Amino acid sequence: MWTELKARLLHAGTTHLTGVSADDYIARSRAGPGAGTSGSVFFCMDGHRVRLSLSETGRVELHHAGNGKAVLRFEGEEYFGSLEKPGLHCPRQAYLTITGSCIFQCRYCNVWKNPGPRRSIDEIEAMVLSVFLDIDAISLTSGVLTDIHEEERYTLDVVRRLQKFQLPIGVSIYPDPETPYRLKEAGVSEVKFNLETANDQLFSVMCPGLVRGDAIAALRAAVPLFGRNHVFSNVILGLGETDEEMAACIEYLCQNGILPVIRPLTPGGDLTGFHAPDPDRIIRIARIHEEMLRKYGLDPTAALTMCPACTGCDLIPGRDT
């Protein structure tokens, strides 16, 4: 039941809250699907979770009865579960955006349309300390303030400061082919370099000014350093690719020891006229994903940080299926 319900919820995308105030359960983000929104909540049921953005016009109703107990009302059915308190951005992690602005203008992204400041290293350390007792990992992502090399240097400084917490650290930045070596040397546990699209042609349209081959080279270099199940790549579902193109991308990543994270499109940035993929397609691609993971001996449940450990925005084989 959960797989089908979550696919429908990911397609719906938004929820409106009713009942008792749920302020303690609202996460706010400067990156990812939630960037530029009024926040999101994580609904949990039977050990699974899904993230829903807040919107007064959301088709999903989440009724908070108090103390985190919640009823999800959707398409004429009621589902009983709970709201999960976020650490930073998501449950059990301090998931932080270092630089909230970007010189690049990827068409699906809200960050360059709603730029924010760069956080200081002292500020980041204080934020992690504020939730330290409630987290199992630290995850860092970032825009690009001036250029990718300066952004990496600053990220490395952040990582070195955060080593004091002795928690797994995951990093997702735009890389060059040598980035994995420098991140590993700094003490990073896992990395995520995003291919974003299922093929090169879509990437050139959606991510002008970036080079998809840089991410591919960094991913391939990262696997021997960080190990299988600890190198990830987001690929957005719903940008115009076919199922066959998505399947080929998933297999390419899996056969190279990289865990794909298949992210259903949240229409934003320049793509507000697009639609989230329908639930049947989300499930269909998840089954292909599951088959490829099995074929190449990969396991998302081994992930310690970032999206595969959170599961809120994606249908993760082994966790949601």
Side-chain angles (χ1 to χ4, degrees), residues 2 6 9-10 41-52 82-87 89-93 134 136 306-316 319-320:
W2 174 253
K6 185 171 182 179
L9 291 171
L10 291 174
V41 289
F42 290 82
F43 176 73
C44 302
M45 188 177 78
D46 299 330
H48 303 289
R49 70 166 66 108
V50 64
R51 173 193 163 278
L52 293 165
S82 62
L83 301 180
E84 192 171 1
K85 287 186 178 180
H89 175 61
C90 69
R92 304 306 309 170
Q93 295 189 55
D134 299 314
D136 307 310
M306 295 187 284
C307 301
C310 172
T311 78
C313 301
D314 318 292
L315 206 57
I316 303 289
R319 293 186 185 270
D320 290 314

Side-chain angles (χ1 to χ4, degrees), residues 84-279:
E84 192 171 1
K85 287 186 178 180
L88 294 172
H89 175 61
C90 69
R92 304 306 309 170
Q93 295 189 55
Y95 205 143
L96 286 158
T97 301
I98 295 171
T99 299
S101 62
C102 195
I103 62 171
F104 298 106
Q105 298 183 359
C106 295
R107 294 190 59 208
Y108 48 79
C109 186
N110 285 317
V111 171
W112 62 274
K113 282 183 168 284
N114 300 282
R118 168 177 279 178
R119 289 185 167 117
S120 72
I121 298 176
D122 287 343
E123 179 186 3
I124 291 169
E125 180 185 1
M127 293 176 73
V128 174
L129 182 62
S130 73
V131 295
F132 178 67
L133 296 178
D134 299 314
I135 61 173
D136 307 310
I138 299 167
S139 294
L140 303 171
T141 187
S142 194
V144 179
L145 183 64
T146 57
D147 65 72
I148 65 169
H149 305 293
E150 190 277 338
E151 199 67 48
E152 181 188 304
R153 290 192 294 271
Y154 192 76
T155 299
L156 289 169
D157 288 341
V158 173
V159 168
R160 295 184 186 106
R161 176 75 71 87
L162 298 183
Q163 288 295 329
K164 66 188 294 182
F165 292 106
Q166 297 185 317
L167 291 172
I169 298 176
V171 171
S172 178
I173 56 175
Y174 186 80
D176 71 28
E178 299 300 311
T179 297
Y181 301 96
R182 293 185 287 265
L183 291 176
K184 181 66 175 179
E185 185 179 19
V188 170
S189 302
E190 297 180 329
V191 292
K192 180 161 68 72
F193 306 130
N194 296 332
L195 292 189
E196 308 291 9
T197 66
N199 59 47
D200 292 341
Q201 188 275 329
L202 268 176
F203 189 89
S204 67
V205 173
M206 293 293 168
C207 302
L210 296 175
V211 180
R212 192 168 181 262
D214 288 349
I216 292 172
L219 287 165
R220 290 172 63 95
V223 174
L225 296 171
F226 296 91
R228 294 163 61 85
N229 301 319
H230 301 293
V231 178
F232 323 130
S233 186
N234 282 15
V235 185
I236 300 170
L237 179 67
L239 293 176
E241 73 291 326
T242 65
D243 284 5
E244 292 74 19
E245 289 169 333
M246 182 58 76
C249 181
I250 290 171
E251 181 159 25
Y252 174 81
L253 290 169
C254 289
Q255 69 187 6
N256 283 283
I258 302 153
L259 282 174
V261 179
I262 307 305
R263 171 65 48 82
L265 174 67
T266 300
D270 283 343
L271 303 186
T272 53
F274 278 51
H275 299 285
D278 64 66

